Amino acid sequence: METNGHPFRQLFLSTLKLSACTFGGGYVIVPLMRKRFVDELHWIEEQEMLDFIAIAQSSPGAIAVNASILVGYHVAGFAGAMLTVLGTVLPPLVIISVISLFYQAFRQNAIVNLVMAGMLCGVAAVIFDVVLNMAKTIVQQKRFLPLAVLIGAFVATRFLHVNIIVIILICGVIGALDTLHAEKLRKAGDEK
C-alpha cells in the first residue's frame, strides 16, 4: 500500500470530493470509491474493496459512511476512519441544511422536480454498473456461490417477497459457511 506521503489529507479530500459530487446514495458512491482507492491510489486491493462493500451493506447505517470508515481505517487506522467519515458526511450535511432553509421554493419548482427525475435514471444506471462489475469479478475468480447468492437474493426479494431481514440472515450464514469451508481447504493445503 503506497500512500504518497500525505494519507490523511488525501483520504479527507478524496471522500469530501466524492461525497460532494455524488447524488443518489451509497450505491452511487461505491464504484467511485473503488475507482479512487483501488484503481487510482492503489491503497486497497480489488478483493478487499469487495469485502468492504459487503460489510458496509450489511452493517446498520448509510453504506457510504460505512464504506468510508472501512477504507479510512484500512489506510490510516482510527484517525483515517474519522477523517473519511468527516469527508463523507460534511457535504450532505451542508447541502441538506441549505435545502431545508429553502424547502418550499425547491418543492414547488418544476425544473428542480425534472432534474430530480433525471437523476433517478442516472442512479439506476450506476447501481446496475456496480452489480455488473461485482458479478464480473466473481465470475473471473470462478467463485459461483456468491453469484448464486446474488441471484437468489434478487429472486427472493423481487418475486417471492421474502422479508429482507431473512435474506440478510440467510446470506450471512451462507457467507460464514463458505468462509469456514475455504479456511478448512486452505489449512488442509498447508498441511500437505
Side-chain angles (χ1 to χ4, degrees):
M1 171 177 56
E2 180 184 321
T3 58
N4 295 332
H6 299 288
F8 294 121
R9 184 177 67 202
Q10 190 76 278
L11 276 170
F12 176 75
L13 291 176
S14 294
T15 54
L16 183 76
K17 284 188 264 185
L18 288 172
S19 185
C21 300
T22 306
F23 295 91
Y27 293 106
V28 177
I29 201 170
V30 163
L32 299 174
M33 287 179 81
R34 186 184 91 33
K35 182 178 181 193
R36 179 70 177 147
F37 295 111
V38 174
D39 297 339
E40 294 173 7
L41 295 174
H42 306 290
W43 287 355
I44 301 172
E45 297 295 321
E46 179 77 27
Q47 185 58 47
E48 288 174 317
M49 191 67 193
L50 287 173
D51 292 342
F52 290 166
I53 293 166
I55 293 167
Q57 286 176 318
S58 60
S59 301
I63 185 172
V65 174
N66 292 343
S68 69
I69 290 170
L70 294 168
V71 167
Y73 188 80
H74 178 76
V75 172
F78 182 77
M82 292 298 100
L83 282 172
T84 55
V85 167
L86 183 62
T88 301
V89 299
L90 198 56
L93 181 66
V94 171
I95 292 168
I96 289 173
S97 297
V98 170
I99 289 175
S100 68
L101 293 173
F102 304 104
Y103 176 71
Q104 288 302 324
F106 279 118
R107 187 173 157 210
Q108 303 301 326
N109 190 313
I111 295 172
V112 171
N113 287 331
L114 289 172
V115 168
M116 293 301 207
M119 287 171 56
L120 286 176
C121 296
V123 169
V126 171
I127 291 172
F128 187 68
D129 180 59
V130 170
V131 171
L132 286 180
N133 283 331
M134 288 178 72
K136 183 177 82 173
T137 302
I138 290 169
V139 168
Q140 287 173 345
Q141 295 173 347
K142 296 186 177 160
R143 294 191 63 224
F144 295 104
L145 179 63
L147 192 57
V149 170
L150 174 77
I151 293 167
F154 174 75
V155 169
T157 303
R158 179 73 179 120
F159 301 110
L160 304 176
H161 306 291
V162 177
N163 187 313
I164 193 69
I165 294 172
V166 172
I167 293 171
I168 290 171
L169 291 174
I170 291 171
C171 290
V173 168
I174 291 170
L177 291 174
D178 184 46
T179 301
L180 289 173
H181 179 68
E183 187 65 24
K184 184 178 176 183
L185 291 175
R186 188 189 61 76
K187 284 183 181 178
D190 289 345
E191 291 176 1
K192 289 185 179 179

